[in-house]
Amino acid sequence: MTTNTKPSPEIPDCYYVNDTVLIPPHDPTPRHSIPLSNIDDQNFLRFTIKYLYLYEKAVCVENMKYSLSKILTEYYPLAGRLRSSKNECGDEKLEVECNGEGAVFAEGFIDYSCVEFLEYCEKPNKSWRKLICKVDAPTFLEVPPLVVQVTKLNCGGMIMCTSINHCICDGIGTSQFLNAWAQITKNPNFVPLNPPFHSRHLLNSRCPPKVTFTHPVFNTPTSDQQQNDQFTLIKYLQSQPLIATSITFNPAQILTLKRNISPSIKCTTFEALASHTWKSWVKSLNLSHFLKVKLLFSVNIRKRVKPELPQGYYGNGFLLGCAETSVKDLCSKNLFHGVKLVQHAKSSLNDDYISSMIDLLEDKKVQTDLSTTLVISQWSKLDLENLDFGSGKPLHMGPMASDVYCLFLPVVGDPESIRVSVSMPHNIVEKFEFYMTENLDKGDSRDDNGYHDD
């Protein structure tokens, strides 16, 4: 078990080598608007996914600009702009105006080395914001969907940061795009095996909408007072300084965790680690035993809907699964209690349930319930850590920032390990790390007796 407790230092100021530029598609692209799906259009997803990559050897920036223009010919909505429009019912809906305006590209330099960065890289810090250029825009919608900054280091290495609007891509979609860009940088004649599928109509709501299930992922506040009451815990966490914690689980420790659940029970690595993280998080917060708590986690629905989504679908093709129980039951029962809840939440997401959830999202008052909730997003199975632009795979990849939302991250060079990253108040971190790591130091590397992975 590895925990990272070293304070991360402030990185030097970034010097911009050239003016920030817009990179349009290399070839002419369709000029039209693409209405986003109800899944894309959730308030919960109105943020940018920010990735950071550290490379030992820099890549020619002009080559990266050229290859970006080439791949934007395929992924042309990322060169467009988001806007809000009204449908025939007068409801506000998001769409992408595909106008070829271009992605933002910045070049920088910092007096820092790969070795210095690697020493503290497991936990993001606020000074990393210097590594992505700030775009002045009056609203979130007016920020270009794709922003890239390549920062050269004094050792000959580089850091590449990307900011991608989550309303347009999910984790699978961003990985698909970034890997295609990397491939075309290495090989200008590269043609993606799965070209991007742009239309979002496959996830349209039914007409008329039919909400045939209850959906505990969401709530519909009826008043400002009720809304304030419902967000007590999340507001408590965000009202104070948060510090990032990072805990890496190797394969032997993951196997021990599974065996601690039950030697005869089959579960995936995600199910075991998500349940363990949820339980540790709740125990460290010392909540009332009578409180109901939720775990929300992303579930890929590309093969759960009928018909299945095309291979190149890069929009938001996931919904949140929801496990719910009392603090008392979660903390006092064996970890299998949480595993069963996660498994049930996953199995509930069939085509009928998904259609009902998409129809529910027609109501723009519906909000993701974050009141007493841990949200986990899994980046460890997306092939994000192997992004090679021609100078080799990254020494490190991860988020640019840490939040109260929990990430399961890949470990570069160790595909079977998982790094759990989350931010918490200072007085809670030590308890959380204790609960996460207790009784897991006796792991071995024996066969897993039927355990399987995601």
Side-chain angles (χ1 to χ4, degrees):
M1 185 71 59
T2 303
T3 60
N4 187 318
T5 56
K6 291 187 295 186
S8 185
E10 175 103 0
I11 64 170
D13 289 338
C14 182
Y15 166 71
Y16 284 95
V17 179
N18 294 308
D19 291 339
T20 299
V21 296
L22 288 175
I23 306 293
H26 183 269
D27 300 316
T29 57
R31 294 297 196 265
H32 61 161
S33 294
I34 299 177
L36 297 185
S37 73
N38 282 356
I39 300 177
D40 297 320
D41 198 9
Q42 297 177 76
N43 284 329
F44 179 66
L45 296 185
R46 294 200 178 191
F47 65 93
T48 54
I49 311 174
K50 293 183 173 68
Y51 299 117
L52 182 149
Y53 287 88
L54 173 70
Y55 292 93
E56 187 173 17
K57 185 179 178 182
V59 178
C60 173
V61 171
E62 292 305 313
N63 288 348
M64 294 185 73
K65 288 180 180 178
Y66 177 75
S67 61
L68 180 58
S69 72
K70 293 284 286 186
I71 202 62
L72 284 175
T73 302
E74 297 285 333
Y75 288 85
Y76 61 87
L78 286 171
R81 296 296 182 264
L82 272 178
R83 69 181 182 188
S84 182
S85 66
K86 289 189 176 181
N87 62 13
E88 58 274 10
C89 300
D91 296 324
E92 293 283 342
K93 294 280 189 176
L94 286 185
E95 62 183 22
V96 185
E97 183 182 4
C98 302
N99 56 16
E101 196 168 331
V104 176
F105 195 102
E107 300 173 61
F109 171 81
I110 60 171
D111 190 16
Y112 214 54
S113 70
C114 287
V115 172
E116 288 173 302
F117 195 89
L118 276 172
E119 188 176 356
Y120 301 97
C121 68
E122 286 193 2
K123 294 193 299 185
N125 75 53
K126 291 180 180 179
S127 71
W128 290 7
R129 287 180 291 190
K130 301 172 183 177
L131 299 170
I132 190 80
C133 66
K134 185 177 180 181
V135 178
D136 289 326
T139 67
F140 167 76
L141 290 183
E142 293 171 85
V143 176
L146 175 61
V147 179
V148 176
Q149 180 168 325
V150 174
T151 305
K152 299 286 184 68
L153 304 175
N154 61 18
C155 61
M158 75 173 189
I159 293 172
M160 186 194 77
C161 293
T162 61
S163 175
I164 302 176
N165 191 303
H166 206 330
C167 296
I168 296 181
C169 300
D170 63 5
I172 291 172
T174 57
S175 177
Q176 179 180 310
F177 165 72
L178 290 172
N179 276 286
W181 178 23
Q183 288 288 344
I184 206 169
T185 306
K186 288 195 297 184
N187 177 10
N189 297 317
F190 171 77
V191 177
L193 291 176
N194 298 310
F197 183 88
H198 299 298
S199 178
R200 310 299 167 95
H201 72 276
L202 297 179
L203 293 176
N204 279 355
S205 59
R206 294 170 291 193
C207 187
K210 292 180 285 189
V211 182
T212 50
F213 295 87
T214 58
H215 297 285
V217 169
F218 304 107
N219 59 37
T220 309
T222 56
S223 69
D224 290 342
Q225 181 60 47
Q226 183 180 352
Q227 187 172 355
N228 288 336
D229 291 344
Q230 288 176 333
F231 283 78
T232 302
L233 180 58
I234 197 74
K235 283 187 174 179
Y236 160 73
L237 292 174
Q238 293 178 331
S239 68
Q240 51 195 302
L242 301 176
I243 63 171
T245 180
S246 171
I247 304 167
T248 300
F249 291 77
N250 65 35
Q253 290 152 348
I254 292 170
L255 182 55
T256 298
L257 179 63
K258 291 180 178 180
R259 287 188 173 140
N260 287 344
I261 296 168
S262 172
S264 60
I265 299 298
K266 290 185 178 181
C267 67
T268 67
T269 293
F270 175 81
E271 291 162 357
L273 193 54
S275 303
H276 177 60
T277 303
W278 184 29
K279 183 173 183 176
S280 301
W281 184 80
V282 168
K283 287 174 72 174
S284 66
L285 289 169
N286 196 28
L287 302 173
S288 165
H289 280 194
F290 302 104
L291 192 65
K292 289 284 187 180
V293 288
K294 293 180 181 179
L295 172 68
L296 302 185
F297 56 94
S298 52
V299 179
N300 181 9
I301 63 168
R302 284 165 169 77
K303 294 186 177 181
R304 292 174 179 259
V305 294
K306 297 176 183 176
E308 294 181 2
L309 298 181
Q311 278 286 93
Y313 193 90
Y314 66 99
N316 286 284
F318 80 97
L319 284 169
L320 294 173
C322 177
E324 183 176 15
T325 188
S326 68
V327 170
K328 180 180 179 182
D329 285 349
L330 182 64
C331 295
S332 64
K333 292 185 177 181
N334 182 279
L335 196 57
F336 182 51
H337 174 67
V339 169
K340 285 192 297 183
L341 294 173
V342 171
Q343 291 176 335
H344 175 71
K346 287 170 66 176
S347 65
S348 296
L349 281 166
N350 57 33
D351 184 57
D352 289 338
Y353 192 88
I354 291 167
S355 295
S356 175
M357 192 179 287
I358 290 172
D359 288 353
L360 176 64
L361 289 170
E362 278 291 301
D363 182 356
K364 293 306 174 187
K365 295 189 297 293
V366 166
Q367 299 179 14
T368 304
D369 183 8
L370 302 174
S371 53
T372 53
T373 306
L374 177 66
V375 180
I376 294 178
S377 179
Q378 180 167 223
W379 292 14
S380 57
K381 300 293 178 183
L382 300 179
D383 195 31
L384 287 165
E385 70 275 19
N386 295 316
L387 206 62
D388 183 356
F389 286 88
S391 66
K393 293 181 180 180
L395 300 174
H396 168 81
M397 85 75 49
M400 282 197 64
S402 182
D403 203 343
V404 291
Y405 303 143
C406 179
L407 295 176
F408 285 2
L409 299 167
V411 179
V412 171
D414 189 358
E416 301 304 315
S417 292
I418 296 175
R419 181 160 56 94
V420 178
S421 177
V422 65
S423 283
M424 310 184 77
H426 185 273
N427 62 326
I428 294 172
V429 169
E430 189 173 339
K431 286 193 293 183
F432 175 72
E433 292 179 346
F434 170 78
Y435 292 131
M436 285 288 280
T437 57
E438 66 176 337
N439 302 323
L440 288 180
D441 293 330
K442 298 178 181 179
D444 57 42
S445 56
R446 291 174 287 173
D447 291 339
D448 64 5
N449 294 325
Y451 294 116
H452 58 288
D453 211 338
D454 285 356

PDB file of all heavy atoms in Angstrom, residues 6 14 19 40 64 70 83 104 107 122 134 142-143 160 189 195 206 221 230 232 234 263 269 301 344 378 386 426:
ATOM      1  N   LYS A   6       3.568  13.638   1.195  1.00  0.00           N
ATOM      2  CA  LYS A   6       4.499  14.760   1.076  1.00  0.00           C
ATOM      3  C   LYS A   6       3.780  15.988   0.532  1.00  0.00           C
ATOM      4  O   LYS A   6       3.017  15.897  -0.426  1.00  0.00           O
ATOM      5  CB  LYS A   6       5.644  14.387   0.133  1.00  0.00           C
ATOM      6  CG  LYS A   6       6.584  13.329   0.666  1.00  0.00           C
ATOM      7  CD  LYS A   6       7.775  13.145  -0.257  1.00  0.00           C
ATOM      8  CE  LYS A   6       7.393  12.598  -1.603  1.00  0.00           C
ATOM      9  NZ  LYS A   6       8.563  12.295  -2.460  1.00  0.00           N
ATOM     10  N   CYS A  14       4.993  30.172 -15.300  1.00  0.00           N
ATOM     11  CA  CYS A  14       5.097  29.728 -16.695  1.00  0.00           C
ATOM     12  C   CYS A  14       5.361  30.927 -17.603  1.00  0.00           C
ATOM     13  O   CYS A  14       4.696  31.962 -17.497  1.00  0.00           O
ATOM     14  CB  CYS A  14       3.804  29.021 -17.094  1.00  0.00           C
ATOM     15  SG  CYS A  14       3.820  28.371 -18.769  1.00  0.00           S
ATOM     16  N   ASP A  19       2.328  33.677 -28.739  1.00  0.00           N
ATOM     17  CA  ASP A  19       0.929  34.007 -28.465  1.00  0.00           C
ATOM     18  C   ASP A  19       0.059  32.757 -28.595  1.00  0.00           C
ATOM     19  O   ASP A  19       0.335  31.863 -29.417  1.00  0.00           O
ATOM     20  CB  ASP A  19       0.429  35.064 -29.454  1.00  0.00           C
ATOM     21  CG  ASP A  19       1.078  36.423 -29.231  1.00  0.00           C
ATOM     22  OD1 ASP A  19       1.577  36.658 -28.110  1.00  0.00           O
ATOM     23  OD2 ASP A  19       1.087  37.229 -30.174  1.00  0.00           O
ATOM     24  N   ASP A  40     -25.738  14.467 -22.225  1.00  0.00           N
ATOM     25  CA  ASP A  40     -24.735  15.524 -22.410  1.00  0.00           C
ATOM     26  C   ASP A  40     -25.136  16.814 -21.690  1.00  0.00           C
ATOM     27  O   ASP A  40     -24.282  17.548 -21.188  1.00  0.00           O
ATOM     28  CB  ASP A  40     -24.587  15.878 -23.896  1.00  0.00           C
ATOM     29  CG  ASP A  40     -24.080  14.738 -24.758  1.00  0.00           C
ATOM     30  OD1 ASP A  40     -23.189  14.020 -24.316  1.00  0.00           O
ATOM     31  OD2 ASP A  40     -24.590  14.600 -25.888  1.00  0.00           O
ATOM     32  N   MET A  64       2.716  18.838 -33.458  1.00  0.00           N
ATOM     33  CA  MET A  64       1.512  18.633 -32.662  1.00  0.00           C
ATOM     34  C   MET A  64       0.381  19.552 -33.132  1.00  0.00           C
ATOM     35  O   MET A  64      -0.784  19.150 -33.163  1.00  0.00           O
ATOM     36  CB  MET A  64       1.805  18.862 -31.176  1.00  0.00           C
ATOM     37  CG  MET A  64       2.757  17.841 -30.573  1.00  0.00           C
ATOM     38  SD  MET A  64       2.968  18.041 -28.793  1.00  0.00           S
ATOM     39  CE  MET A  64       1.393  17.420 -28.174  1.00  0.00           C
ATOM     40  N   LYS A  70      -5.312  18.154 -38.206  1.00  0.00           N
ATOM     41  CA  LYS A  70      -5.745  17.000 -39.001  1.00  0.00           C
ATOM     42  C   LYS A  70      -6.823  16.208 -38.263  1.00  0.00           C
ATOM     43  O   LYS A  70      -7.840  15.837 -38.857  1.00  0.00           O
ATOM     44  CB  LYS A  70      -4.542  16.096 -39.290  1.00  0.00           C
ATOM     45  CG  LYS A  70      -3.500  16.707 -40.203  1.00  0.00           C
ATOM     46  CD  LYS A  70      -3.934  16.700 -41.660  1.00  0.00           C
ATOM     47  CE  LYS A  70      -3.848  15.308 -42.263  1.00  0.00           C
ATOM     48  NZ  LYS A  70      -4.143  15.326 -43.718  1.00  0.00           N
ATOM     49  N   ARG A  83     -23.510  26.345 -27.514  1.00  0.00           N
ATOM     50  CA  ARG A  83     -24.469  27.432 -27.350  1.00  0.00           C
ATOM     51  C   ARG A  83     -25.780  26.851 -26.839  1.00  0.00           C
ATOM     52  O   ARG A  83     -26.027  25.640 -26.943  1.00  0.00           O
ATOM     53  CB  ARG A  83     -24.690  28.166 -28.669  1.00  0.00           C
ATOM     54  CG  ARG A  83     -25.432  27.370 -29.722  1.00  0.00           C
ATOM     55  CD  ARG A  83     -25.596  28.161 -31.006  1.00  0.00           C
ATOM     56  NE  ARG A  83     -26.361  27.407 -31.990  1.00  0.00           N
ATOM     57  CZ  ARG A  83     -26.538  27.783 -33.248  1.00  0.00           C
ATOM     58  NH1 ARG A  83     -25.956  28.893 -33.678  1.00  0.00           N
ATOM     59  NH2 ARG A  83     -27.263  27.062 -34.079  1.00  0.00           N
ATOM     60  N   VAL A 104      -8.069  26.044 -28.826  1.00  0.00           N
ATOM     61  CA  VAL A 104      -7.049  26.943 -28.286  1.00  0.00           C
ATOM     62  C   VAL A 104      -5.764  26.150 -28.055  1.00  0.00           C
ATOM     63  O   VAL A 104      -5.788  25.053 -27.492  1.00  0.00           O
ATOM     64  CB  VAL A 104      -7.529  27.571 -26.958  1.00  0.00           C
ATOM     65  CG1 VAL A 104      -6.421  28.430 -26.342  1.00  0.00           C
ATOM     66  CG2 VAL A 104      -8.791  28.399 -27.179  1.00  0.00           C
ATOM     67  N   GLU A 107       1.744  27.595 -25.949  1.00  0.00           N
ATOM     68  CA  GLU A 107       3.086  27.053 -25.723  1.00  0.00           C
ATOM     69  C   GLU A 107       3.725  27.779 -24.545  1.00  0.00           C
ATOM     70  O   GLU A 107       3.734  29.005 -24.497  1.00  0.00           O
ATOM     71  CB  GLU A 107       3.969  27.262 -26.953  1.00  0.00           C
ATOM     72  CG  GLU A 107       3.486  26.632 -28.219  1.00  0.00           C
ATOM     73  CD  GLU A 107       4.357  27.051 -29.392  1.00  0.00           C
ATOM     74  OE1 GLU A 107       5.576  26.754 -29.360  1.00  0.00           O
ATOM     75  OE2 GLU A 107       3.831  27.697 -30.318  1.00  0.00           O
ATOM     76  N   GLU A 122       1.924  12.676  -7.583  1.00  0.00           N
ATOM     77  CA  GLU A 122       0.749  11.849  -7.317  1.00  0.00           C
ATOM     78  C   GLU A 122      -0.436  12.659  -6.811  1.00  0.00           C
ATOM     79  O   GLU A 122      -1.578  12.220  -6.917  1.00  0.00           O
ATOM     80  CB  GLU A 122       1.085  10.728  -6.334  1.00  0.00           C
ATOM     81  CG  GLU A 122       1.915   9.620  -6.952  1.00  0.00           C
ATOM     82  CD  GLU A 122       1.976   8.384  -6.082  1.00  0.00           C
ATOM     83  OE1 GLU A 122       1.344   8.383  -5.006  1.00  0.00           O
ATOM     84  OE2 GLU A 122       2.660   7.431  -6.473  1.00  0.00           O
ATOM     85  N   LYS A 134      -5.462  30.390 -19.376  1.00  0.00           N
ATOM     86  CA  LYS A 134      -6.798  30.828 -18.994  1.00  0.00           C
ATOM     87  C   LYS A 134      -7.452  31.530 -20.172  1.00  0.00           C
ATOM     88  O   LYS A 134      -6.885  32.430 -20.766  1.00  0.00           O
ATOM     89  CB  LYS A 134      -6.732  31.769 -17.787  1.00  0.00           C
ATOM     90  CG  LYS A 134      -8.090  32.170 -17.263  1.00  0.00           C
ATOM     91  CD  LYS A 134      -7.976  33.045 -16.028  1.00  0.00           C
ATOM     92  CE  LYS A 134      -9.358  33.439 -15.529  1.00  0.00           C
ATOM     93  NZ  LYS A 134      -9.289  34.325 -14.324  1.00  0.00           N
ATOM     94  N   GLU A 142     -19.122  29.779 -23.346  1.00  0.00           N
ATOM     95  CA  GLU A 142     -18.339  30.502 -24.354  1.00  0.00           C
ATOM     96  C   GLU A 142     -16.852  30.146 -24.335  1.00  0.00           C
ATOM     97  O   GLU A 142     -16.082  30.665 -25.148  1.00  0.00           O
ATOM     98  CB  GLU A 142     -18.546  32.006 -24.168  1.00  0.00           C
ATOM     99  CG  GLU A 142     -19.971  32.435 -24.495  1.00  0.00           C
ATOM    100  CD  GLU A 142     -20.273  33.867 -24.118  1.00  0.00           C
ATOM    101  OE1 GLU A 142     -19.976  34.759 -24.933  1.00  0.00           O
ATOM    102  OE2 GLU A 142     -20.801  34.080 -23.011  1.00  0.00           O
ATOM    103  N   VAL A 143     -16.445  29.292 -23.436  1.00  0.00           N
ATOM    104  CA  VAL A 143     -15.070  28.780 -23.459  1.00  0.00           C
ATOM    105  C   VAL A 143     -14.969  27.733 -24.562  1.00  0.00           C
ATOM    106  O   VAL A 143     -15.809  26.832 -24.640  1.00  0.00           O
ATOM    107  CB  VAL A 143     -14.692  28.153 -22.106  1.00  0.00           C
ATOM    108  CG1 VAL A 143     -13.291  27.544 -22.170  1.00  0.00           C
ATOM    109  CG2 VAL A 143     -14.782  29.188 -20.996  1.00  0.00           C
ATOM    110  N   MET A 160       2.053  18.195 -21.147  1.00  0.00           N
ATOM    111  CA  MET A 160       0.920  18.553 -21.986  1.00  0.00           C
ATOM    112  C   MET A 160      -0.347  18.510 -21.156  1.00  0.00           C
ATOM    113  O   MET A 160      -0.614  17.506 -20.471  1.00  0.00           O
ATOM    114  CB  MET A 160       0.774  17.610 -23.174  1.00  0.00           C
ATOM    115  CG  MET A 160      -0.319  18.070 -24.138  1.00  0.00           C
ATOM    116  SD  MET A 160      -0.830  16.835 -25.346  1.00  0.00           S
ATOM    117  CE  MET A 160      -1.868  15.765 -24.359  1.00  0.00           C
ATOM    118  N   ASN A 189      -0.169   9.530 -41.806  1.00  0.00           N
ATOM    119  CA  ASN A 189      -1.105   8.793 -42.662  1.00  0.00           C
ATOM    120  C   ASN A 189      -2.059   7.916 -41.877  1.00  0.00           C
ATOM    121  O   ASN A 189      -2.836   7.146 -42.460  1.00  0.00           O
ATOM    122  CB  ASN A 189      -0.318   7.926 -43.662  1.00  0.00           C
ATOM    123  CG  ASN A 189       0.533   8.764 -44.605  1.00  0.00           C
ATOM    124  OD1 ASN A 189       0.086   9.793 -45.109  1.00  0.00           O
ATOM    125  ND2 ASN A 189       1.772   8.335 -44.838  1.00  0.00           N
ATOM    126  N   PRO A 195     -13.896   5.660 -36.782  1.00  0.00           N
ATOM    127  CA  PRO A 195     -14.086   7.102 -36.953  1.00  0.00           C
ATOM    128  C   PRO A 195     -15.170   7.603 -36.004  1.00  0.00           C
ATOM    129  O   PRO A 195     -16.083   6.856 -35.630  1.00  0.00           O
ATOM    130  CB  PRO A 195     -14.507   7.232 -38.421  1.00  0.00           C
ATOM    131  CG  PRO A 195     -14.983   5.871 -38.821  1.00  0.00           C
ATOM    132  CD  PRO A 195     -14.203   4.905 -38.003  1.00  0.00           C
ATOM    133  N   ARG A 206     -37.918   9.742 -25.402  1.00  0.00           N
ATOM    134  CA  ARG A 206     -39.098   9.306 -26.139  1.00  0.00           C
ATOM    135  C   ARG A 206     -40.124  10.442 -26.212  1.00  0.00           C
ATOM    136  O   ARG A 206     -40.065  11.393 -25.435  1.00  0.00           O
ATOM    137  CB  ARG A 206     -39.700   8.075 -25.464  1.00  0.00           C
ATOM    138  CG  ARG A 206     -38.781   6.855 -25.527  1.00  0.00           C
ATOM    139  CD  ARG A 206     -39.262   5.724 -24.664  1.00  0.00           C
ATOM    140  NE  ARG A 206     -39.142   6.031 -23.227  1.00  0.00           N
ATOM    141  CZ  ARG A 206     -39.260   5.136 -22.266  1.00  0.00           C
ATOM    142  NH1 ARG A 206     -39.485   3.862 -22.570  1.00  0.00           N
ATOM    143  NH2 ARG A 206     -39.146   5.488 -21.006  1.00  0.00           N
ATOM    144  N   PRO A 221     -35.602  19.522  -6.252  1.00  0.00           N
ATOM    145  CA  PRO A 221     -35.919  20.462  -5.173  1.00  0.00           C
ATOM    146  C   PRO A 221     -37.156  21.283  -5.510  1.00  0.00           C
ATOM    147  O   PRO A 221     -37.325  21.741  -6.634  1.00  0.00           O
ATOM    148  CB  PRO A 221     -34.678  21.358  -5.104  1.00  0.00           C
ATOM    149  CG  PRO A 221     -33.594  20.568  -5.762  1.00  0.00           C
ATOM    150  CD  PRO A 221     -34.274  19.746  -6.812  1.00  0.00           C
ATOM    151  N   GLN A 230     -30.778  19.989   1.425  1.00  0.00           N
ATOM    152  CA  GLN A 230     -30.316  18.758   0.804  1.00  0.00           C
ATOM    153  C   GLN A 230     -28.815  18.769   0.546  1.00  0.00           C
ATOM    154  O   GLN A 230     -28.227  17.714   0.368  1.00  0.00           O
ATOM    155  CB  GLN A 230     -31.059  18.530  -0.513  1.00  0.00           C
ATOM    156  CG  GLN A 230     -32.522  18.128  -0.303  1.00  0.00           C
ATOM    157  CD  GLN A 230     -33.251  18.000  -1.623  1.00  0.00           C
ATOM    158  OE1 GLN A 230     -32.887  18.644  -2.603  1.00  0.00           O
ATOM    159  NE2 GLN A 230     -34.285  17.198  -1.658  1.00  0.00           N
ATOM    160  N   THR A 232     -26.327  19.832   2.538  1.00  0.00           N
ATOM    161  CA  THR A 232     -25.587  20.119   3.758  1.00  0.00           C
ATOM    162  C   THR A 232     -24.178  19.528   3.738  1.00  0.00           C
ATOM    163  O   THR A 232     -23.202  20.236   3.974  1.00  0.00           O
ATOM    164  CB  THR A 232     -26.348  19.590   4.988  1.00  0.00           C
ATOM    165  OG1 THR A 232     -27.638  20.197   5.030  1.00  0.00           O
ATOM    166  CG2 THR A 232     -25.588  19.894   6.264  1.00  0.00           C
ATOM    167  N   ILE A 234     -22.250  18.201   1.230  1.00  0.00           N
ATOM    168  CA  ILE A 234     -21.344  18.644   0.174  1.00  0.00           C
ATOM    169  C   ILE A 234     -20.907  20.079   0.419  1.00  0.00           C
ATOM    170  O   ILE A 234     -19.758  20.450   0.168  1.00  0.00           O
ATOM    171  CB  ILE A 234     -22.013  18.473  -1.219  1.00  0.00           C
ATOM    172  CG1 ILE A 234     -20.961  18.535  -2.332  1.00  0.00           C
ATOM    173  CG2 ILE A 234     -23.103  19.499  -1.454  1.00  0.00           C
ATOM    174  CD1 ILE A 234     -20.108  17.310  -2.438  1.00  0.00           C
ATOM    175  N   PRO A 263     -14.304 -15.404   0.321  1.00  0.00           N
ATOM    176  CA  PRO A 263     -13.534 -16.213  -0.629  1.00  0.00           C
ATOM    177  C   PRO A 263     -14.387 -16.782  -1.751  1.00  0.00           C
ATOM    178  O   PRO A 263     -13.871 -17.113  -2.812  1.00  0.00           O
ATOM    179  CB  PRO A 263     -12.961 -17.336   0.243  1.00  0.00           C
ATOM    180  CG  PRO A 263     -13.026 -16.824   1.637  1.00  0.00           C
ATOM    181  CD  PRO A 263     -14.223 -15.939   1.693  1.00  0.00           C
ATOM    182  N   THR A 269     -12.777  -5.833  -9.625  1.00  0.00           N
ATOM    183  CA  THR A 269     -11.895  -4.927  -8.884  1.00  0.00           C
ATOM    184  C   THR A 269     -12.611  -3.617  -8.572  1.00  0.00           C
ATOM    185  O   THR A 269     -12.523  -3.094  -7.461  1.00  0.00           O
ATOM    186  CB  THR A 269     -10.619  -4.655  -9.699  1.00  0.00           C
ATOM    187  OG1 THR A 269      -9.865  -5.870  -9.798  1.00  0.00           O
ATOM    188  CG2 THR A 269      -9.752  -3.591  -9.040  1.00  0.00           C
ATOM    189  N   ILE A 301     -22.900   2.840 -20.853  1.00  0.00           N
ATOM    190  CA  ILE A 301     -24.156   2.274 -21.361  1.00  0.00           C
ATOM    191  C   ILE A 301     -24.094   1.978 -22.856  1.00  0.00           C
ATOM    192  O   ILE A 301     -25.109   1.634 -23.462  1.00  0.00           O
ATOM    193  CB  ILE A 301     -25.342   3.206 -21.069  1.00  0.00           C
ATOM    194  CG1 ILE A 301     -25.193   4.547 -21.797  1.00  0.00           C
ATOM    195  CG2 ILE A 301     -25.517   3.409 -19.558  1.00  0.00           C
ATOM    196  CD1 ILE A 301     -26.444   5.400 -21.791  1.00  0.00           C
ATOM    197  N   HIS A 344     -25.988  -4.442  -7.714  1.00  0.00           N
ATOM    198  CA  HIS A 344     -27.406  -4.238  -8.027  1.00  0.00           C
ATOM    199  C   HIS A 344     -27.608  -2.957  -8.828  1.00  0.00           C
ATOM    200  O   HIS A 344     -28.391  -2.924  -9.785  1.00  0.00           O
ATOM    201  CB  HIS A 344     -28.227  -4.192  -6.738  1.00  0.00           C
ATOM    202  CG  HIS A 344     -29.679  -3.877  -6.961  1.00  0.00           C
ATOM    203  ND1 HIS A 344     -30.546  -4.771  -7.547  1.00  0.00           N
ATOM    204  CD2 HIS A 344     -30.407  -2.743  -6.717  1.00  0.00           C
ATOM    205  CE1 HIS A 344     -31.754  -4.223  -7.645  1.00  0.00           C
ATOM    206  NE2 HIS A 344     -31.700  -2.989  -7.160  1.00  0.00           N
ATOM    207  N   GLN A 378     -14.101   6.384 -12.813  1.00  0.00           N
ATOM    208  CA  GLN A 378     -12.987   5.460 -13.072  1.00  0.00           C
ATOM    209  C   GLN A 378     -12.244   5.858 -14.343  1.00  0.00           C
ATOM    210  O   GLN A 378     -12.791   5.796 -15.446  1.00  0.00           O
ATOM    211  CB  GLN A 378     -13.493   4.026 -13.193  1.00  0.00           C
ATOM    212  CG  GLN A 378     -12.372   3.042 -13.471  1.00  0.00           C
ATOM    213  CD  GLN A 378     -12.760   1.590 -13.301  1.00  0.00           C
ATOM    214  OE1 GLN A 378     -11.999   0.807 -12.732  1.00  0.00           O
ATOM    215  NE2 GLN A 378     -13.907   1.200 -13.776  1.00  0.00           N
ATOM    216  N   ASN A 386      -1.380   5.574 -21.875  1.00  0.00           N
ATOM    217  CA  ASN A 386      -0.456   5.101 -22.914  1.00  0.00           C
ATOM    218  C   ASN A 386      -0.320   6.069 -24.077  1.00  0.00           C
ATOM    219  O   ASN A 386       0.131   5.698 -25.162  1.00  0.00           O
ATOM    220  CB  ASN A 386      -0.922   3.732 -23.429  1.00  0.00           C
ATOM    221  CG  ASN A 386      -0.845   2.661 -22.360  1.00  0.00           C
ATOM    222  OD1 ASN A 386       0.143   2.574 -21.625  1.00  0.00           O
ATOM    223  ND2 ASN A 386      -1.886   1.855 -22.241  1.00  0.00           N
ATOM    224  N   HIS A 426      -8.618  18.685   6.065  1.00  0.00           N
ATOM    225  CA  HIS A 426      -7.360  18.245   6.676  1.00  0.00           C
ATOM    226  C   HIS A 426      -7.582  17.300   7.849  1.00  0.00           C
ATOM    227  O   HIS A 426      -6.865  16.309   8.021  1.00  0.00           O
ATOM    228  CB  HIS A 426      -6.562  19.471   7.129  1.00  0.00           C
ATOM    229  CG  HIS A 426      -5.200  19.142   7.663  1.00  0.00           C
ATOM    230  ND1 HIS A 426      -4.969  18.815   8.981  1.00  0.00           N
ATOM    231  CD2 HIS A 426      -3.989  19.065   7.035  1.00  0.00           C
ATOM    232  CE1 HIS A 426      -3.684  18.553   9.147  1.00  0.00           C
ATOM    233  NE2 HIS A 426      -3.072  18.715   7.975  1.00  0.00           N
TER     234      HIS A 426
END
